[in-house]
């Protein structure tokens, strides 16, 4: 399962990531040599989303991957042999100041998530963490989550479509939160915060085969990853700086962005809440087996 | 020569529009920045190795995919076309497989191969293969009966017939097929990169979009357009050399 | 050829291929390559339901509208450009440039102008279908037979009559070729247009299945796309046989002698 | 009436300059049947296209009294619209001229009957033999009701038997309609057999070499006319002008077919 | 030697059944020059394709003593490969027969010289006139060194002057090479002028109507041979068999060109 088996030589490890700010720790960790010092030659491969990374990890092309938690729950409940190795990123847990937000136009009559009944909300992917979280916000605000309509729209297009009135609300992450703010948009909810305190948004994972075939490498990777997460969490300025190297976000925007939290360990109750919500929303065919998935 | 000048004039007018429309506020410069801005960003891009890696990746996928498709298409096309039984037996299958849109394979290949060059390559090969195959089949079917009789009367063997009769007859069709395939292949290479996330210009475009970097995105889009333009010019040139004897090439009839 | 032999040549290979697939994949444990049997079951469950109305029909309707618009624009512009040498020289590089831009990268741009409704999706389809039609029309118009053109001039067949009876008809074999290519591009773009800003549609559904790791359902979606492609190609062939009856007649009469 | 005066045509382009016609002057009277013969490449087609107004002369003038002009081209296969049926082909120029439907129908029927194709209305041109196709082209010209009819080697590509039939057809059509007919050919026999007058062109630079009145009787037929000694004489005389063969031999008036 | 015995060919397909040849039997001696004439559509091309082995007869037999057989088709434009230069076209059959390079070269040069195209080696066929193209096809046949040469109306589409030249070329080639030559044409004059024997076919259902020995002198030329009274007689005799014209007229032995 490891591409490089020469004794003594560093293990080359392919990790599938998405070029968003959530994965700043692994880039930072790489630049800080947290991986090389554990004899891991880290090779970061950018993909468009978890849906492309999961198969690559299962088939062994990548040894590890980064994906949002709901995708992992769905994959796992469909029988894919996945194993989370460590946390990815969490919401800040601060209502009104998260790295993602449910937002409306400046002059929108919508004041709270409850007002979204019958309205259209843009989500970057449907039947996933975003719509589940937004429904949670609506529910929490006392509205009817079933009456909210979702339309799939990639993040980059959301600010413009919100502005032109094609959608009533958007759920955006950084840097698009800044873009909506810049055009006068308002936050009406921090949905990730509404789901659960310290919601686990994403995590790093590997396959069961990898885990049983090369437990030592998994262990070393997990250690390095945890060190990276901790470092990024405590050095936000360096994290901001590294984001500029693998994305094309303008520096002035990077400076203003709200960063997520990067705890090293998975917040199991939050995942449980998420899994229950996903089951309720029909995303999962059957209840997820968290013991199999989580470390 | 004056043709080329006209063409350049056309490009110049187009460029001028690209500059003027955003400047005059007819299009929001936020979403469609003026051309000069895009070009200056393009100037920055070309100094970065990352840009060149992406370009080379795209070109590699494109060229390799095209090559595989052309070789497979031509070989299969001539083989199937030259044997009537084979042609009859495969006709329905080809008619069925051909219209399956290559993007239908995107979810499949991204599952099977992940965000790798292989994924995009499969798409490119699949899409361009049919263009070549169908053209070559048409071409072989178009063999002149008199020429065929001539070959048989002079006892040309099967191989000689393929070499001197079927192949030259099919060649103009094949060249057209290759030209069509080249542009389809480029489009799918970039689409694949954009949607699957395999390395290349397409992914860079996706990246620029995800970062909200609109001018960068346009700069890359222009690069893809230019590559397409160059590929087409190149294909036309090759056509002129290979098909010097063909009526369409040897005398251009003025309208 | 007897009827039996006809049927064998027509169905022989497809049957063999499907049977091979069926038996090779039987009992497959590979998560991503389920057995054909499971795919067929998923197909029945998935597509013989309201999905047909909710997802397939709107997709096909958008395709039809976009395709027809592309035909009209492509033929009209193509006739203008094809008939005018300067215009052709002027436009050719720009057209080639625009054509080389992959439609998916245009989607966000189009969305800015046209919103996220059906309009955008139709425009995306048009933006891809129009090129083969346009370029082939240009070539077809250029290829008008000189003797026929002289005949028209000497009999004073001018203006609209000339366009209708000479130019359009002589270009029609080429236009049909372009239209056929445009159709396959159209199906591709139908899917692509639904990958952005959609909440229903065939392409959307297939990607949902993919993201939801519902693999047999996803395969069945790919099959549906294939079937749509085949059905449309057949419809096209029927239409072509009518429109180009004269052309095929010439070809077959030449072949016989 | 048809008057060609000092006609000159130079093709210039693509780095090649061809003086197709040096200087041509001749007149064809109203209702006359004139043939133009000349060696291949001497500019017969060019002349005809200038007369038909399809090509601007380099200098000189063409005057045609009476409109319209109908043209029958050599390449029948390419001058009929393959996507129109026979009747529609014949009808199209009339339709373009906005003739009322009923009259159009009548003229088409008459013209097709005249060329013996009354029952081929609904065929496509490519379903017909070469000779039949050329007859459709002739029917189209007739139906157009021209006062001047131009024909450019209309029979060069049909077989010998059909050719003889078509020659007779053309003479009968001309006699019935009374049109001015200019018939271009490179076949000397044909020109003598058909016309009232033969205009003989030299090879390039092209000029009129001779203008011979054909004093054969008006009633002609393939057997007797061609057997007429006068026919042989006229043919030999033209032949002497065109060919570089020893002229005394040809002038013997031998009746063997020299033009073949 | 070439022997056709009880040959019958029925085309059957596409819901249409045509009996192209009913029953043909004839023999052509080794080194003989025989012409086959018959009306259009009587099955001459079919016969030739059967002899050349391009078409299986429905019944009957074709026996050809001596190999190889070379064929010259009517459609020279389509029987030459446009993507090969003149010399390559002539060389191709030799190459396919695996002849050594040097000998190939020599035979190609000789053949092209024989048809007067020694300096057209490097031209493409479409850069040549029709007559020159047909000469290339003849050169290809000659170079192939056949013992039997079959020609299917090879001059039907070339102009009259070229045709006369090509006819003489064929006769001289035949005299030099001593091949068995079967020449198919629908032109009676041509058959009489060229052959030692003329096999006259009826129209469908096709049979041999007559088998006429042409007792004209071996040395023939366009002027004197065609003027020979014997020539006119032979031609009239054939003509009487083919045409449905009142036969007494044709038998008068008039010398006008009936076949046109
Ligand atoms: N479009 C053209 N451009 C340049 N030269 C031309 C063009 N058309 C004809 N010519 C030249 O003009 C001369 C006369 O040609 P034209 O076709 O009028 O001859 P023709 O007498 O009709 O010959 P034929 O009997 O073979 O039909 C030829 O030398 C030919 O090469
Ligand atoms: N491939 C074919 N399929 C069906 N019928 C055919 C085919 N080829 C020829 N025929 C028919 O066979 C008959 C003889 O045709 P063939 O071409 O041999 O005549 P031909 O004597 O060579 O005529 P021509 O002098 O016009 O060349 C015709 O009636 C024709 O319609
Ligand atoms: Mg001419
Ligand atoms: Mg024939």
């Amino acid at each position: 399962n490891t591409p490089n088996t020469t004794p003594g030589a560093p293990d080359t490890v392919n990790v599938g990531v998405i070029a968003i700010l959530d994965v700043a720790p692994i880039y930072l960790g790489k630049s800080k040599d947290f991986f090389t010092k554990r004899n891991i030659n880290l090779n970061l491969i950018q993909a468009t989303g978890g849906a492309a990374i999961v198969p690559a990890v299962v088939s062994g092309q990548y040894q590890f991957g980064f994906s949002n938690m709901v995708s992992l729950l769905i994959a796992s409940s469909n029988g894919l042999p996945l194993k989370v190795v460590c946390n990815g990123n969490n919401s800040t847990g601060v209502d009104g100041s998260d790295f993602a937000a449910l937002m409306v136009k400046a002059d929108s009559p919508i004041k709270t998530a409850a007002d979204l009944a019958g309205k259209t909300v843009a989500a970057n992917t449907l039947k996933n963490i975003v719509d589940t979280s937004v429904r949670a916000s609506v529910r929490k605000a006392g509205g009817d989550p079933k009456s909210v309509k979702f339309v799939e729209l990639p993040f980059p297009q959301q600010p413009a479509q919100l502005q032109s009135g094609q959608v009533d609300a958007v759920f955006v992450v950084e840097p698009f939160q800044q873009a909506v703010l810049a055009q006068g948009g308002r936050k009406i909810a921090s949905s990730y915060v509404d789901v659960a305190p310290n919601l686990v948004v994403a995590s790093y994972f590997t396959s069961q085969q990898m885990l049983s075939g090369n437990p030592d490498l998994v262990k070393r990777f997990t250690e390095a990853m945890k060190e990276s997460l901790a470092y990024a969490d405590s050095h936000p300025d360096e994290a901001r700086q590294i984001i500029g190297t693998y994305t094309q976000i303008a520096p002035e925007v990077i400076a203003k962005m709200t960063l997520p939290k990067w705890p090293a360990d998975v917040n199991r109750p939050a995942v449980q809440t998420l899994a229950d919500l996903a089951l309720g929303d029909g995303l999962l065919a059957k209840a997820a087996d968290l013991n199999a998935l989580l470390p | 020569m004056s043709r080329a000048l006209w063409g350049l004039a056309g490009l110049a007018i187009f460029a001028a529009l690209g500059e003027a429309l955003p400047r005059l506020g007819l299009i929001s410069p936020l979403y469609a920045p003026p051309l000069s801005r895009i070009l200056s960003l393009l100037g920055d891009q070309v100094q970065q190795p990352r840009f060149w890696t992406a370009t080379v990746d795209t070109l590699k996928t494109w060229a390799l995919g095209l090559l595989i498709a052309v070789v497979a298409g031509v070989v299969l096309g001539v083989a199937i076309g030259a044997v009537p039984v084979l042609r009859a037996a495969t006709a329905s299958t080809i008619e069925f497989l051909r219209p399956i849109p290559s993007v239908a394979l995107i979810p499949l290949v991204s599952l099977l191969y992940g965000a790798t060059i292989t994924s995009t390559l499969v798409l490119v090969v699949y899409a361009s293969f049919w263009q070549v195959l169908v053209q070559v089949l048409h071409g072989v079917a178009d063999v002149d009966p008199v020429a065929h009789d001539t070959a048989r009367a002079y006892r040309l063997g099967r191989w000689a017939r393929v070499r001197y009769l079927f192949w030259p007859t099919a060649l103009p069709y094949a060249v057209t097929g290759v030209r069509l395939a080249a542009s389809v292949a480029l489009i799918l290479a970039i689409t694949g990169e954009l949607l699957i996330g395999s390395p290349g210009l397409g992914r860079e475009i996706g990246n620029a979009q995800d970062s909200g970097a609109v001018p960068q995105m346009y700069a890359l889009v222009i690069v893809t357009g230019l590559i397409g333009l160059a590929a087409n010019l190149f294909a036309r040139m090759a056509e002129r050399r290979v098909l010097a004897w063909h009526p369409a090439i040897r005398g251009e009839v003025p309208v | 050829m007897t009827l039996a032999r006809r049927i064998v040549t027509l169905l022989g290979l497809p049957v063999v291929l499907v049977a091979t697939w069926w038996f090779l994949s039987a009992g497959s444990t590979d998560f991503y390559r389920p057995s054909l049997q499971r795919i067929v079951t998923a197909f029945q469950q998935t597509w013989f339901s309201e999905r047909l109305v909710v997802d397939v029909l709107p997709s096909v309707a958008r395709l039809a509208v976009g395709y027809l618009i592309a035909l009209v624009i492509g033929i009209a512009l193509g006739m203008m450009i094809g008939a005018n040498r300067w215009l052709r020289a002027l436009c050719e590089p720009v057209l080639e440039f625009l054509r080389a831009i992959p439609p998916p990268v245009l989607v966000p741009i189009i969305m800015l102008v046209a919103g996220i409704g059906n309009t955008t999706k139709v425009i995306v389809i048009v933006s891809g279908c129009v090129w083969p039609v346009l370029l082939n029309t240009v070539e077809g118009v250029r290829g008008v037979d000189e003797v026929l053109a002289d005949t028209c001039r000497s009999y004073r067949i001018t203006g609209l009559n000339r366009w209708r009876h000479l130019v359009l008809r002589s270009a029609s074999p080429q236009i049909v070729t372009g239209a056929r290519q445009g159709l396959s591009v159209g199906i591709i773009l139908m899917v692509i247009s639904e990958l952005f800003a959609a909440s229903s549609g065939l392409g959307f559904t297939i990607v949902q299945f993919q993201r939801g790791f519902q693999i047999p359902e996803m395969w069945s979606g790919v099959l549906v796309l294939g079937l749509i492609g085949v059905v449309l190609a057949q419809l096209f062939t029927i239409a072509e046989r009518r429109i180009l009856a004269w052309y095929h007649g010439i070809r077959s009469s030449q072949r016989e002698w | 009436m048809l008057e060609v005066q000092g006609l000159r045509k130079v093709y210039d382009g693509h780095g090649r300059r061809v003086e197709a016609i040096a200087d041509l002057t001749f007149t064809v009277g109203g209702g006359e049947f004139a043939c133009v013969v000349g060696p291949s490449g001497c500019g017969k087609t060019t002349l005809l296209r200038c007369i038909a107004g399809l090509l601007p002369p380099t200098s000189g003038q063409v005057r045609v009294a009476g409109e319209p002009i109908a043209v029958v081209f050599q390449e029948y296969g390419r001058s009929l619209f393959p996507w129109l049926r026979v009747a529609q082909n014949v009808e199209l120029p009339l339709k373009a001229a906005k003739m009322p439907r009923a009259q159009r129908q009548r003229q088409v029927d008459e013209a097709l009957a005249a060329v013996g194709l009354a029952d081929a209305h609904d065929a496509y041109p490519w379903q017909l033999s070469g000779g039949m196709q050329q007859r459709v082209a002739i029917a189209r010209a007739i139906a157009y009701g021209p006062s001047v009819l131009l024909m450019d080697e209309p029979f060069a590509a049909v077989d010998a038997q059909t050719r003889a039939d078509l020659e007779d057809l053309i003479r009968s059509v001309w006699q019935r309609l009374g049109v001015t007919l200019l018939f271009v050919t490179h076949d000397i026999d044909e020109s003598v057999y058909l016309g009232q007058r033969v205009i003989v062109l030299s090879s390039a630079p092209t000029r009129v070499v001779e203008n011979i009145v054909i004093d054969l009787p008006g009633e002609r037929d393939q057997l007797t006319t061609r057997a007429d000694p006068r026919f042989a004489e006229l043919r030999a005389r033209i032949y002497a002008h065109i060919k570089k063969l020893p002229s005394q031999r040809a002038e013997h008036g031998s009746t063997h077919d020299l033009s073949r």
Side-chain angles (χ1 to χ4, degrees), chain A, chain B, chain C, chain D:
Chain A
N1 239 335
T2 359
N4 194 335
T5 50
T6 320
D11 294 298
T12 297
V13 166
N14 295 328
V15 182
V17 294
I18 313 170
I20 51 177
L21 53 116
D22 308 38
V23 297
I26 196 168
Y27 278 94
L28 196 52
K30 185 180 177 177
S31 77
K32 292 286 168 201
D33 290 336
F34 295 159
F35 291 90
T36 40
K37 77 180 180 201
R38 290 181 175 85
N39 215 22
I40 290 174
N41 181 7
L42 194 63
N43 186 18
L44 296 175
I45 300 168
Q46 292 183 3
T48 45
I53 296 175
V54 170
V57 171
V58 171
S59 70
Q61 283 168 26
Y62 306 161
Q63 281 69 47
F64 300 92
F66 173 88
S67 175
N68 86 60
M69 207 57 231
V70 172
S71 287
L72 292 175
L73 287 168
I74 296 174
S76 160
S77 85
N78 271 302
L80 278 174
L82 301 181
K83 189 77 182 176
V84 169
V85 296
C86 73
N87 200 34
N89 61 317
N90 286 14
S91 77
T92 57
V94 183
D95 197 6
S97 156
D98 194 8
F99 74 100
L102 187 58
M103 303 184 78
V104 295
K105 249 198 315 196
D107 55 357
S108 169
I110 298 166
K111 300 292 177 221
T112 70
D115 299 338
L116 286 175
K119 304 289 190 209
T120 304
V121 180
N124 73 325
T125 50
L126 294 190
K127 295 198 172 182
N128 211 300
I129 191 164
V130 168
D131 47 343
T132 295
S133 305
V134 171
R135 281 196 199 92
S137 290
V138 176
R139 208 174 286 123
K140 189 178 166 200
D144 174 16
K146 287 216 169 50
S147 68
V148 180
K149 281 182 284 190
F150 288 96
V151 62
E152 185 165 307
L153 197 60
F155 287 130
Q157 270 85 61
Q158 293 188 11
Q161 298 303 335
L162 179 67
Q163 198 62 14
S164 65
Q166 296 281 338
V167 293
D168 302 302
V170 296
F171 183 87
V172 282
V173 298
E174 295 289 11
F176 302 100
Q177 178 172 294
Q178 294 304 321
V180 178
L181 286 175
Q183 65 193 26
R186 278 185 289 118
K187 299 182 190 177
I188 55 168
S190 299
S191 300
Y192 285 161
V193 180
D194 293 341
V195 173
N198 299 318
L199 175 71
V200 179
V201 175
S203 53
Y204 295 88
F205 65 97
T206 186
S207 65
Q208 297 282 4
Q209 299 100 292
M210 179 72 193
L211 189 65
S212 51
N214 202 338
D216 173 56
L217 179 58
V218 174
K219 188 163 153 273
R220 278 184 282 142
F221 177 81
T222 308
E223 280 171 9
M225 204 54 239
K226 285 188 171 169
E227 185 176 1
S228 307
L229 288 164
Y231 187 86
D233 215 26
S234 53
H235 297 81
D237 291 338
E238 285 183 50
R240 278 181 207 280
Q241 203 184 355
I242 203 90
I243 290 170
T245 64
Y246 66 89
T247 70
Q248 300 187 28
I249 305 173
E252 63 274 16
V253 177
I254 292 179
K256 279 190 277 181
M257 291 190 312
T258 307
L259 297 182
K261 283 280 168 215
W262 286 299
D265 290 312
V266 181
N267 176 2
R268 204 176 232 257
V271 177
Q272 187 64 56
T273 312
L274 201 53
D276 295 343
L277 287 176
L279 187 66
D281 285 345
L283 272 52
L284 301 180
K286 55 178 197 290
D289 178 5
L290 290 197
N291 289 328
L293 180 63
L294 297 187
Chain B
M1 202 56 232
S2 74
R3 244 185 104 71
L5 285 181
W6 275 103
L8 285 179
L11 283 176
I13 293 173
F14 184 66
L17 280 177
E19 180 70 26
L21 290 182
R23 291 241 182 258
L24 295 176
L26 292 173
I27 309 176
S28 160
L30 208 55
Y31 304 133
L35 187 68
S36 53
R37 174 96 201 285
I38 298 173
L39 289 182
S40 82
L41 266 168
L42 184 58
D44 294 346
Q45 295 251 2
V46 296
Q47 288 162 25
Q48 291 171 18
R50 183 187 166 121
F51 168 82
W52 290 108
T53 325
T55 307
V56 168
D57 277 338
T58 297
L59 288 179
K60 253 201 310 217
T61 315
W62 175 68
L64 187 62
L66 191 60
L67 185 73
I68 296 173
V70 168
V71 170
V74 166
V75 170
L76 280 178
V78 172
I80 293 174
V83 184
V85 183
L86 267 184
R87 175 139 31 122
T90 51
S92 57
T93 311
I94 289 176
E95 274 308 303
F96 182 85
L97 290 178
R98 185 166 73 113
I100 294 181
S102 43
V103 282
L105 303 179
I106 287 183
L108 253 177
V109 294
S110 72
L111 279 184
L112 294 178
Y113 306 108
T116 59
I117 288 196
T118 319
S119 285
T120 310
L121 200 59
V122 170
L123 288 185
V124 171
V125 170
Y126 184 85
S128 35
F129 169 74
W130 297 110
Q131 304 273 2
V132 183
L133 179 76
V134 169
Q135 282 287 327
V136 172
L137 281 178
H138 274 312
V140 177
D142 200 40
V143 163
D144 192 306
V146 177
H148 196 201
D149 272 354
T150 305
R152 285 170 62 208
Y154 285 103
R155 304 277 180 271
L156 263 56
R158 188 171 284 285
W159 174 241
R161 264 185 253 175
V162 166
R163 163 87 177 68
Y164 294 107
L165 182 62
F166 290 120
W167 170 238
T169 308
L171 190 59
Y173 290 82
V175 169
T176 309
V178 171
R179 206 148 52 77
L180 293 173
S183 55
V184 168
L186 182 63
I187 289 178
L188 273 154
I190 293 187
T191 305
E193 288 159 7
L194 184 67
L195 296 179
I196 300 173
S198 60
L201 281 173
R203 190 175 73 185
E204 295 302 310
I205 291 175
N207 242 327
Q209 282 178 357
D210 288 345
S211 309
V214 176
Q216 275 93 334
M217 181 194 81
Y218 277 100
L220 292 166
V221 167
I222 285 181
V223 172
T224 66
L226 290 178
I227 292 177
L229 201 57
N232 195 56
L233 276 180
F234 182 74
R236 292 251 184 210
M237 257 165 53
E239 192 172 4
R240 257 160 217 289
R241 303 208 103 202
V242 178
L243 296 181
W245 52 269
H246 195 266
I249 304 287
R250 69 195 188 211
E252 244 207 350
V253 189
V255 173
Chain C
M1 210 175 352
T2 63
L3 188 65
R5 266 192 72 183
R6 260 221 186 113
I7 291 174
V8 169
T9 49
L10 196 70
L11 298 179
L13 188 59
V15 166
V16 169
L17 289 178
V18 171
T20 314
W21 184 8
W22 182 279
F23 288 113
L24 283 188
S25 69
S28 159
T29 51
D30 187 331
F31 186 77
Y32 294 115
R33 296 182 186 82
S35 68
L36 183 54
Q37 193 183 358
R38 281 194 59 200
I39 296 175
V40 171
T41 317
F43 190 98
Q44 286 168 349
Q45 289 165 353
T46 312
W47 301 104
F48 294 152
S49 67
E50 57 161 5
R51 239 184 246 287
L52 193 67
V53 182
V54 176
D55 286 324
V56 180
L57 286 188
S59 292
V60 175
R62 285 192 290 260
L63 173 63
V65 173
Y67 183 61
L68 290 180
I69 295 177
L71 281 186
V72 171
I73 296 179
I75 293 173
L77 271 183
M79 301 243 283
M80 266 164 55
I81 296 172
N84 187 329
R85 210 185 319 178
W86 294 319
L87 196 57
R88 197 164 64 233
L90 194 66
C91 292
E92 205 171 36
V94 176
L95 291 182
E96 288 293 343
F97 173 80
L98 289 177
R99 184 176 74 121
I101 296 176
V105 310
L106 295 178
V107 176
I109 302 168
I110 294 171
M111 229 186 271
L112 291 174
V113 182
I116 56 172
N118 284 330
T119 322
T120 295
K121 299 187 183 72
V122 169
I123 293 179
V124 171
I125 293 171
V126 172
S127 75
C129 289
V130 80
W131 299 113
V133 180
L134 176 70
L135 297 180
N136 273 287
T137 306
V138 169
E139 292 297 314
V141 171
R142 288 182 57 191
V144 169
D145 191 287
E146 281 170 289
V147 177
L148 274 184
D150 271 358
T151 304
C152 276
R153 274 214 283 161
S154 66
Y155 283 108
R156 308 267 183 279
I157 300 169
T158 52
L160 197 62
N161 273 324
R162 185 171 178 278
W163 284 105
R164 237 184 73 198
H165 293 291
L166 176 69
V167 183
L168 186 59
R169 298 305 294 270
S170 4
S172 55
Q174 283 260 37
I175 295 177
V176 166
T177 308
R180 183 182 276 277
Q181 289 164 17
L183 184 61
S184 36
V185 176
I187 301 178
I188 292 180
L189 289 177
M190 172 187 88
V191 175
I192 288 180
S193 71
E194 290 168 356
L195 300 183
F196 304 84
S199 43
S200 71
L202 198 46
F204 171 80
T205 312
I206 293 177
V207 172
Q208 289 303 319
F209 286 145
Q210 181 215 354
R211 291 213 202 104
F213 302 98
Q214 293 167 276
I215 306 303
E217 285 80 1
M218 185 199 79
W219 277 89
S220 77
V222 174
L223 285 187
V224 170
L225 271 180
L227 285 176
I228 288 182
V230 172
V231 168
L232 291 181
Q234 287 303 321
L235 287 179
F236 189 94
T237 307
I238 293 170
E240 179 192 338
R241 289 268 148 202
R242 293 196 64 113
I243 296 170
L244 291 186
W246 61 272
Y247 179 73
H248 295 294
I250 293 179
R251 307 254 317 197
S252 61
S253 74
Q254 278 171 348
R255 199 150 300 160
E256 221 163 81
W257 303 108
Chain D
M1 220 204 42
L2 195 160
E3 226 181 300
V4 175
Q5 244 178 5
L7 186 76
R8 181 178 138 86
K9 176 69 197 180
V10 180
Y11 288 107
D12 203 352
H14 298 284
R16 187 165 159 275
R17 210 186 118 91
V18 181
E19 186 176 27
I21 298 179
D23 180 8
L24 278 187
T25 302
F26 64 85
T27 313
V28 179
E32 199 181 351
F33 191 149
C35 291
V36 173
V37 276
S40 188
C42 76
K44 301 182 294 296
T45 298
T46 306
L47 165 66
L48 198 126
R49 284 166 52 88
C50 286
I51 297 176
L54 298 174
L55 205 65
T58 307
S59 65
Q61 284 188 340
V62 171
R63 231 169 290 140
V64 182
E67 283 262 318
I69 307 178
V71 185
V72 176
F73 294 94
Q74 169 175 349
E75 298 98 333
Y76 49 82
R78 291 166 60 195
S79 96
L80 297 177
F81 297 91
W83 45 84
L84 296 182
R85 292 169 194 276
V86 163
Q88 293 172 322
N89 258 292
V90 177
E91 193 184 3
L92 186 58
L94 309 181
K95 219 167 172 175
K98 304 215 187 336
M99 185 180 287
R101 191 191 181 79
Q103 190 186 346
R104 229 157 62 197
Q105 214 83 55
R106 213 181 46 241
Q107 267 177 245
V108 169
D109 290 347
E110 277 174 20
L112 281 173
V115 300
L117 287 176
D119 49 0
H121 273 67
D122 288 336
Y124 281 107
W126 37 269
Q127 294 176 318
L128 307 179
S129 74
M132 289 165 89
Q133 288 180 28
Q134 193 56 292
R135 278 189 277 162
V136 175
I138 294 169
R140 179 169 61 188
I142 299 174
Y144 196 47
S147 21
V148 178
L149 179 54
L150 306 176
M151 307 186 103
D152 185 11
E153 310 199 25
F155 310 142
V158 294
D159 71 282
Q161 185 54 40
T162 314
R163 187 168 182 157
D165 296 344
L166 288 175
E167 284 168 2
D168 292 334
L169 172 69
I170 282 296
R171 277 205 52 96
S172 81
V173 162
W174 165 70
Q175 278 167 332
R176 249 185 318 132
L177 300 187
V179 294
T180 309
L181 211 166
L182 191 73
F183 189 102
V184 164
T185 179
H186 64 244
D187 186 323
I188 298 166
D189 283 48
E190 187 165 82
S191 71
V192 175
Y193 178 72
L194 283 177
Q196 297 177 298
R197 199 145 56 86
V198 174
I199 298 161
V200 184
L201 304 185
S202 69
S203 58
T206 309
R207 289 163 205 286
V208 175
V209 179
E210 220 189 333
N211 206 318
I212 301 174
V213 174
I214 305 297
D215 46 8
L216 294 168
E219 270 310 310
R220 301 182 190 176
D221 88 75
Q222 295 284 351
L223 287 175
T224 48
T225 305
R226 285 180 193 263
D228 193 326
R230 182 67 192 144
F231 181 90
E233 261 170 61
L234 288 165
R235 178 226 255 165
R237 187 161 144 214
I238 296 171
Y239 197 83
H241 281 294
I242 289 196
K243 293 280 156 66
K244 283 126 276 156
L245 279 167
S247 57
Q248 70 278 17
R249 243 189 176 176
E251 268 161 23
H252 274 315
S254 58
T255 55
H256 39 262
D257 185 0
L258 292 169
S259 72
R260 349 194 35 249

